[in-house]
Amino acid sequence: MKAFTYERASDPAAAARSVASKPGAKFIAGGTNLLDLMKIEVETPTHLVDVQDLDLDKIEKTSDGGLRIGALVSNTALAADQRIRRDYAVLTRAIVAGASGQLRNKASTGGNLLQRTRCPYFYDTNMPCNKRKPGTGCAAIGGYSRQLAVIGVSDKCIATFPGDMPVALRVLDAVVETVKPDGQRRSIPIADFHRLWGDKPEQDTVLEPGELITHVTLPRPLGGQHFYEKVRDRASYAFALVSVAAVIQPDGTGRVAFGGMAPKPWRVAEAEALLPQGAAAVTARAFQGATPTKDNAFKLPLATRALASVIAQAKA
């Protein structure tokens, strides 16, 4: 791990200004992803701004019947909140499906949105990776790609977004609230928060330099039945090969988003409109134009089967 300087922030705008003013600076909260990357020198920040003392650890009601979640609310606290369990059960189920109990105790809501890919080539500093070092190439293209993306990729990168919680947030139409270094606040729909790789795979999100996540807002509850189906190589502590977050209404309509398939939680409105026609119709439209490799082509029929399982549970 390379040497770095450190400070504890006193308020969100000051934290944003500090990161923006120091080249190579980064925020740190729970550190469950960043510290791992620092140890293997995938991330080499020159300065860390600790935001754990900020007053961003509460879950509060909004005027329109939703909830406003502080960026420092732990994954454990969020999943266990009775309002989340009752009205946004897909979120609880997605969080509990991820990581381990110890990690969920430390991982923050804001940090979960900012997880970096678990592509093996991103973690291997001996291999070329446009996400880790822009312009060096993508070793995953033509390499081992079983866990990587089948849609939303580019000729620069085929990595997936690894998280579970944001897939549920995508189904719920959450909004990410931020503060910029100049104190200006911004609200970003979760649909627009994560980027497709394009020519700049090193940019995971639309956040500007120094912009700090302060809250995630959930709109009023959707009702219906909530599901999170996660298919992985082992029963726990593993990232999704395919995941399905869904809210199904009594008439068979609903919302569905997929994880493990793309650089961001993948939701296609035209596809979920086909839910009453069955899983195959939904996934055929959701993954229209997919470009799987020989290693990960199995993900497409697997996504169909995972969604079919959800639909069957909803009918049971």
Side-chain angles (χ1 to χ4, degrees):
M1 185 182 291
K2 293 188 176 181
F4 57 89
T5 53
Y6 171 89
E7 69 174 290
R8 297 184 80 98
S10 57
D11 69 81
R17 285 194 300 272
S18 183
V19 168
S21 66
K22 297 178 176 65
K26 286 188 174 292
F27 301 111
I28 185 167
T32 57
N33 189 200
L34 178 60
L35 290 177
D36 283 345
L37 294 174
M38 289 173 65
K39 290 173 184 176
I40 58 176
E41 297 188 4
V42 169
E43 293 274 14
T44 55
T46 58
H47 183 71
L48 291 181
V49 177
D50 193 332
V51 298
Q52 293 185 83
D53 291 341
L54 304 184
D55 186 25
L56 299 173
D57 59 352
K58 298 177 178 61
I59 304 173
E60 302 169 312
K61 292 181 180 179
T62 61
S63 58
D64 63 352
L67 291 176
R68 191 172 188 235
I69 304 160
L72 294 178
V73 173
S74 72
N75 285 181
T76 295
L78 182 58
D81 187 274
Q82 288 301 312
R83 295 163 294 182
I84 299 293
R85 291 166 60 89
R86 182 186 65 237
D87 297 328
Y88 306 96
V90 64
L91 184 53
T92 289
R93 291 174 179 177
I95 292 171
V96 172
S100 64
Q102 295 93 329
L103 285 172
R104 292 195 296 269
N105 287 342
K106 286 295 293 180
S108 66
T109 297
N112 199 297
L113 288 166
L114 299 175
Q115 288 186 78
R116 308 223 62 192
T117 185
R118 266 54 176 200
C119 173
Y121 298 105
F122 175 72
Y123 271 72
D124 186 347
T125 56
N126 294 309
M127 301 298 291
C129 173
N130 287 320
K131 179 171 286 297
R132 176 172 25 84
K133 190 174 181 181
T136 58
C138 176
I141 297 176
Y144 180 71
S145 55
R146 180 174 180 271
Q147 292 183 304
L148 303 182
V150 300
I151 198 165
V153 301
S154 73
D155 61 359
K156 304 294 184 184
C157 183
I158 60 172
T160 54
F161 175 77
D164 294 294
M165 184 190 84
V167 184
L169 292 177
R170 180 68 184 91
V171 160
L172 296 170
D173 280 337
V175 174
V176 181
E177 299 180 27
T178 68
V179 62
K180 296 183 181 181
D182 62 1
Q184 180 180 348
R185 296 187 177 270
R186 181 159 71 130
S187 296
I188 308 168
I190 189 69
D192 301 326
F193 183 77
H194 295 99
R195 298 179 70 257
L196 298 181
W197 300 146
D199 292 332
K200 296 182 177 180
E202 72 277 11
Q203 297 180 7
D204 293 347
T205 72
V206 298
L207 292 179
E208 299 174 6
E211 192 169 6
L212 173 67
I213 297 172
T214 60
H215 299 85
V216 174
T217 300
L218 302 177
R220 62 188 307 164
L222 292 171
Q225 298 182 74
H226 291 218
F227 301 92
Y228 191 76
E229 187 87 3
K230 182 175 181 179
V231 184
R232 46 191 161 178
D233 284 327
R234 57 178 184 265
S236 65
Y237 200 57
F239 295 97
L241 292 169
V242 173
S243 65
V244 178
V247 176
I248 309 295
Q249 302 297 339
D251 63 359
T253 62
R255 299 180 181 183
V256 60
F258 297 89
M261 304 292 282
K264 61 190 294 184
W266 196 254
R267 180 181 169 198
V268 177
E270 296 85 356
E272 65 189 13
L274 301 175
L275 268 170
Q277 298 181 30
V282 174
T283 55
R285 178 62 186 86
F287 301 111
Q288 185 177 350
T291 55
T293 69
K294 60 180 177 61
D295 293 331
N296 65 20
F298 73 92
K299 285 191 172 191
L300 294 170
L302 185 59
T304 302
R305 290 197 293 271
L307 178 57
S309 174
V310 166
I311 293 172
Q313 291 174 62
K315 293 179 178 178

